[in-house]
């Protein structure tokens, strides 16, 4: 089965989604690209993916856009 978006949000120029995989892991997608840390897609529980989403949103809010 294909991963399913369980949460979506837009903030400024960014579209954020949290996807659930078949085996229960969640991952974050930003503007249709999986969010990676240290070259690997970030996976975790729903609460971990949600917390990472908020962290990334704050970082994007602090970054001036061109």
């Amino acid at each position: 089965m294909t991963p399913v978006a369980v949460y979506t949000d837009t903030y400024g120029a960014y579209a954020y989604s949290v996807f659930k995989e078949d085996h229960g892991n969640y991952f974050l997608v930003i503007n249709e690209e999986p969010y990676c840390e240290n070259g690997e897609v970030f996976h975790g529980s729903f609460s971990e993916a949600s917390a990472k989403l908020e962290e990334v949103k704050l970082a994007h809010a602090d970054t001036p856009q061109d």
Side-chain angles (χ1 to χ4, degrees), residues 30-53:
I30 304 168
N31 289 346
E32 300 182 12
E33 294 291 325
Y35 174 76
C36 295
E37 289 186 340
N38 302 318
E40 298 288 327
V41 175
F42 173 85
H43 288 91
S45 67
F46 180 76
S47 61
E48 290 168 329
S50 297
K52 184 60 68 177
L53 180 144

Side-chain angles (χ1 to χ4, degrees), residues 4-11 14-19 28-29 46 50 53-54 57:
V4 176
V6 295
Y7 177 81
T8 59
D9 190 14
T10 56
Y11 188 74
Y14 299 96
Y16 304 95
S17 298
V18 175
F19 281 81
L28 175 60
V29 173
F46 180 76
S50 297
L53 180 144
E54 293 304 318
K57 279 173 53 175

